Amino acid sequence: MIEVGLAPDAIARYLRATRGVDSEYLSRDVTALETFYVDVLESLYNSGLNIHHIKLYLVDSVRSDIETLHHNGCCQIIFDQGMMDIFDMLNHVFLTEFPATDPDSLPPPQFWAHALFANRFLARGQRVEASIQAAIANNYSSVNERPDSPYLQHGDLWVTVQSGYAIAHEIAHCHLDDESTTLARTIANDFENKMLPLVRRHDEENPVDLTPPHLHLARNVNADLARKFNLDLSTVLEHFGEKDWEMIPQRRARTLEEQLDVLLHDDSNVGEEILCDYWAMLFTSRIMGSSIIHPDEALVICFAAFLFQSAIRYFEAQAASFSDDYLSLETMLDETDEVNIRTQFFMFSAQIIGDMHILHDYDLGLISGDDLAVTGRQRRELLAENLNSLNKAYYKIVEPIVAQGIAGQTFLMAHAIPADDVIRKIASSSTLADVVRDCVKNY
Amino acid sequence: MEKLDLVIAVPSQDRDALDDVASSVNQLFVTESRSLDGETVATALVSIYVTGIPLFRAWLNARVAERKGCKVTIGGDVYQGYSADDVVKIIDNIESKLEIEHKNKKGNRKSGSK
């Protein structure tokens, strides 16, 4: 069993201290997730890998994250169900709202973004900021009905696959720590033989772009904010300091192959993250794909989970910079670069794994030899199309908010919502966590 | 004596600082914790008693003076310890929670003796 009530005393106390005493009461059915976890471990065990040092604990709190403790040779993975609520909300945003948005316009900040900011502010203990964001989110939600969506029929399934991906990613970290040789050799082999040809083709088709993409985006977002609050654009630019954006030094451009080469051989953790993305995607699509969903669809859902986790990280970083002021533009761009390279690698990996699925179906007799070429091509095209659509949706929906950054949030807090008595009352209330969770759940 | 569990997190490279705090609290374990963003921090689960509060306050203030800070989590509530004001908030919270704990135990003893 993987419930907090049965956790060892010290871990149970850790969970209560970090997530609250009520965090052991789960709000979602996790049977499918538990089965997935057991299947992953069984698969590892059958491959001769040690699994006894890995433990999983499920909790439910506003912290909404996944955390791994490394203690006395053990890996204790703590998965917080609040993250499932965020996955659910972002699935709705991506799958219902985006298709209806004019692709040529920048979507204005919607209440989901404020709900996510409220969540990340509270997760960091910034209660007043969380209260303001929750108030803005609730203000939006009172005028916007949650749109109907075909996603509603499969919502729980998507969230389960995405949660499974997040857990598998952490399990991969546990193995790269302890048994890097076995796993790294397998992945390095895939990289050399399957990944590099795709990467080289990409570099040939996409010459390196030296223009910093954020400058143009930042101007657009500022103009959008000015329109929204009926302000003179120069006032907004003055507040945000557009010159900061113009002073960004041109970052040395590298081909994708050069970037990957550096990442996989330097001491940063980005290379490890990329390997864990690959491994988690492979296992999640293979295990979930053989039981509850088509494996190619599982790949697309994993990609959504990856993008959503990137969004959570961005929002978290911006919430941190609001109080600590340590997040420079340069740091933010470094993080953007990291997400970009992981995203590209993820999409290449998905294609490779998709090809493995096709061959697997052929081996099982699900595709005949005559149909292999046609079906394989169709599946590849469909997979690539779905991945590209999701990636575009991410840039349309999340990037403007990232570009607007904490300056935009500061502006909103200073001008749009005064920190009055009501806000202070909410901030000091013991029910703030419930208020913030409702913001996320009510989308 | 009533006690309160709390978790203290510092950057990984400051792990030794968690040994210094052990004089004021009962340290249950120290671990490396990796979060969603891949950042690894050194984390300690500790129990604090009323008698340990002055020493713990001094440890927090020393961190602030060194411009290092820390993060303290109590009952799911997160407190950033980067300024003197933050330290006051953390200590106030610990004191109020220990007081509530103390009253609850006293109440339980009374009702149990009837």
Side-chain angles (χ1 to χ4, degrees):
Chain A
M1 290 296 290
I2 45 179
E3 289 180 9
V4 62
L6 296 176
D9 181 59
I11 295 296
R13 286 168 72 175
Y14 179 88
L15 296 178
R16 288 183 198 119
T18 52
R19 271 91 177 164
V21 289
D22 294 333
S23 60
E24 64 190 277
Y25 301 107
L26 305 181
S27 59
R28 286 174 179 266
D29 178 13
V30 288
T31 311
L33 208 52
E34 286 177 332
T35 307
F36 169 74
Y37 171 70
V38 171
D39 287 347
V40 171
L41 290 195
E42 196 174 282
S43 179
L44 289 172
Y45 184 73
N46 291 338
S47 307
L49 291 170
N50 177 29
I51 56 168
H52 300 295
H53 65 304
I54 302 173
K55 306 283 177 207
L56 174 69
Y57 303 102
L58 299 181
V59 290
D60 193 1
S61 81
V62 77
R63 191 157 149 174
S64 314
D65 66 354
I66 188 161
E67 179 186 12
T68 304
L69 304 181
H70 296 270
H71 180 55
N72 286 345
C74 278
C75 272
Q76 278 131 345
I77 300 168
I78 302 164
F79 180 77
D80 195 317
Q81 280 200 328
M83 192 184 241
M84 297 172 98
D85 297 335
I86 293 179
F87 283 156
D88 195 20
M89 178 178 79
L90 292 178
N91 282 331
H92 267 282
V93 172
F94 275 60
L95 299 175
T96 62
E97 193 168 306
F98 180 71
T101 307
D102 176 3
D104 295 326
S105 70
L106 282 169
Q110 295 292 323
F111 87 89
W112 69 267
H114 295 295
L116 188 48
F117 265 124
N119 176 277
R120 296 334 288 165
F121 272 125
L122 188 56
R124 291 183 40 78
Q126 294 163 255
R127 298 178 69 89
V128 172
E129 290 84 353
S131 306
I132 295 172
Q133 293 291 344
I136 301 171
N138 285 331
N139 193 33
Y140 273 119
S141 65
S142 63
V143 293
N144 291 339
E145 289 292 320
R146 186 175 188 157
D148 284 335
S149 156
Y151 159 76
L152 286 173
Q153 297 168 6
H154 308 290
D156 288 343
L157 185 61
W158 273 62
V159 171
T160 297
V161 175
Q162 288 163 339
S163 305
Y165 167 79
I167 290 169
H169 181 97
E170 292 306 313
I171 293 174
H173 274 298
C174 298
H175 271 284
L176 281 181
D177 283 348
D178 291 351
E179 301 181 48
S180 55
T181 49
T182 311
L183 208 57
R185 214 169 33 237
T186 310
I187 296 174
N189 188 44
D190 282 356
F191 178 72
E192 290 289 336
N193 297 325
K194 297 170 181 168
M195 188 77 63
L196 271 183
L198 282 176
V199 167
R200 284 175 185 147
R201 197 166 70 210
H202 172 274
D203 284 338
E204 281 170 16
E205 292 170 359
N206 300 280
V208 173
D209 181 11
L210 288 165
T211 311
H214 299 81
L215 181 55
H216 185 65
L217 192 56
R219 282 182 179 152
N220 281 348
V221 172
N222 288 346
D224 193 55
L225 262 177
R227 271 197 306 278
K228 186 175 169 58
F229 293 103
N230 200 23
L231 293 168
D232 180 50
L233 179 60
S234 61
T235 311
V236 181
L237 291 179
E238 191 183 333
H239 195 90
F240 287 2
E242 192 196 17
K243 281 196 168 30
D244 290 346
W245 292 97
E246 288 175 336
M247 285 165 65
I248 301 168
Q250 284 212 342
R251 302 166 73 75
R252 196 176 88 74
R254 289 189 182 120
T255 64
L256 189 58
E257 185 180 350
E258 286 171 333
Q259 290 179 61
L260 282 174
D261 192 50
V262 169
L263 288 172
L264 293 174
H265 292 97
D266 72 3
D267 290 334
S268 78
N269 67 347
V270 181
E272 184 173 321
E273 294 294 340
I274 286 173
L275 297 182
C276 292
D277 290 339
Y278 175 86
W279 192 89
M281 190 173 19
L282 180 65
F283 266 73
T284 309
S285 64
R286 187 173 284 173
I287 291 174
M288 298 272 193
S290 64
S291 55
I292 56 175
I293 200 165
H294 189 280
D296 288 359
E297 192 178 358
L299 284 176
V300 175
I301 301 172
C302 287
F303 186 47
F306 165 80
L307 293 174
F308 296 166
Q309 285 183 308
S310 301
I312 295 171
R313 287 174 53 200
Y314 270 134
F315 279 64
E316 173 101 28
Q318 292 188 15
S321 71
F322 193 79
S323 63
D324 304 343
D325 203 26
Y326 76 87
L327 188 72
S328 66
L329 209 51
E330 195 70 17
T331 307
M332 199 173 94
L333 289 179
D334 281 342
E335 291 191 1
T336 307
D337 283 351
E338 182 191 322
V339 170
N340 285 345
I341 190 101
R342 279 179 69 182
T343 304
Q344 284 177 309
F345 197 95
F346 201 109
M347 292 168 79
F348 287 126
S349 303
Q351 289 178 48
I352 290 167
I353 296 168
D355 281 351
M356 289 182 196
H357 291 157
I358 293 168
L359 291 175
H360 184 67
D361 286 354
Y362 173 69
D363 290 342
L364 292 177
L366 298 171
I367 305 173
S368 71
D370 294 339
D371 293 339
L372 184 60
V374 175
T375 311
R377 184 168 50 80
Q378 286 171 343
R379 276 175 61 169
R380 270 187 214 106
E381 284 173 359
L382 186 62
L383 178 62
E385 190 183 319
N386 283 325
L387 294 172
N388 282 325
S389 296
L390 260 181
N391 198 31
K392 279 182 189 163
Y394 179 80
Y395 279 92
K396 275 285 178 189
I397 294 171
V398 177
E399 279 287 295
I401 294 163
V402 172
Q404 175 188 320
I406 207 62
Q409 294 305 311
T410 311
F411 183 82
L412 276 175
M413 289 182 181
H415 294 85
I417 300 274
D420 58 15
D421 289 342
V422 177
I423 294 296
R424 275 194 284 275
K425 198 173 170 186
I426 297 172
S428 60
S429 161
S430 60
T431 59
L432 177 60
D434 295 332
V435 171
V436 170
R437 289 203 73 174
D438 284 347
C439 287
V440 175
K441 283 183 172 175
N442 288 344
Y443 181 82
Chain B
M1 187 178 288
E2 288 74 20
K3 63 184 179 185
L4 182 69
D5 285 349
L6 49 100
V7 170
I8 307 165
V10 296
S12 276
Q13 63 269 25
D14 286 350
R15 188 185 170 114
D16 291 348
L18 294 175
D19 294 335
D20 301 336
V21 80
S23 59
S24 62
V25 295
N26 177 24
Q27 201 168 74
L28 298 167
F29 68 78
V30 179
T31 178
E32 292 279 320
S33 160
R34 191 181 55 251
S35 59
L36 181 66
D37 60 6
E39 189 192 359
T40 301
V41 294
T43 301
L45 171 66
V46 303
S47 279
I48 190 165
Y49 296 80
V50 175
T51 49
I53 289 178
L55 280 173
F56 185 54
R57 182 193 284 121
W59 182 83
L60 289 170
N61 280 324
R63 297 278 306 168
V64 170
E66 291 172 27
R67 295 179 175 274
K68 286 182 174 170
C70 65
K71 190 170 83 175
V72 177
T73 315
I74 311 163
D77 293 331
V78 180
Y79 299 89
Q80 307 287 341
Y82 289 97
S83 68
D85 285 348
D86 291 340
V87 173
V88 170
K89 273 186 204 163
I90 292 168
I91 296 298
D92 281 354
N93 196 277
I94 291 172
E95 284 176 340
S96 70
K97 283 204 160 67
L98 280 172
E99 195 177 330
I100 291 168
E101 182 89 351
H102 181 67
K103 280 180 181 167
N104 284 346
K105 290 225 166 159
K106 242 169 100 176
N108 288 343
R109 272 191 221 114
K110 275 184 184 172
S111 59
S113 63
K114 279 178 186 174

